Amino acid sequence: MGAIFASLKCEAAVNLDGGGSSQILSRDPEDKTLKIRNTPSDEARRRQVIDAWCVVIDETIKEQ
């Protein structure tokens, strides 16, 4: 994970639990729909209580 964050030029990053029920949800850049990007190993059972982190990218900011 450290190499991935470094390749993305992150100045700070957090690696969370990543257990069997962890999911990655992101907006598809083409059709703007939300999609689950991985296959959690606990897939057969949905959790009743969730925690989430949300990352928002402001695409109006120009890269210098």
Side-chain angles (χ1 to χ4, degrees):
M1 289 304 299
I4 291 170
F5 288 130
S7 74
L8 295 171
K9 299 181 179 156
C10 292
E11 294 180 12
V14 175
N15 185 18
L16 303 176
D17 173 20
S21 63
S22 297
Q23 290 184 340
I24 299 172
L25 178 75
S26 67
R27 186 177 313 279
D28 188 293
E30 293 179 13
D31 64 14
K32 307 298 185 205
T33 59
L34 295 174
K35 296 183 179 177
I36 295 175
R37 302 297 181 166
N38 66 329
T39 306
S41 61
D42 289 356
E43 184 176 357
R45 175 177 84 130
R46 293 196 176 199
R47 302 295 170 107
Q48 295 298 317
V49 178
I50 63 168
D51 291 321
W53 276 51
C54 178
V55 177
V56 178
I57 299 172
D58 185 347
E59 295 179 355
T60 63
I61 296 174
K62 303 275 190 237
E63 198 172 312
Q64 296 182 11

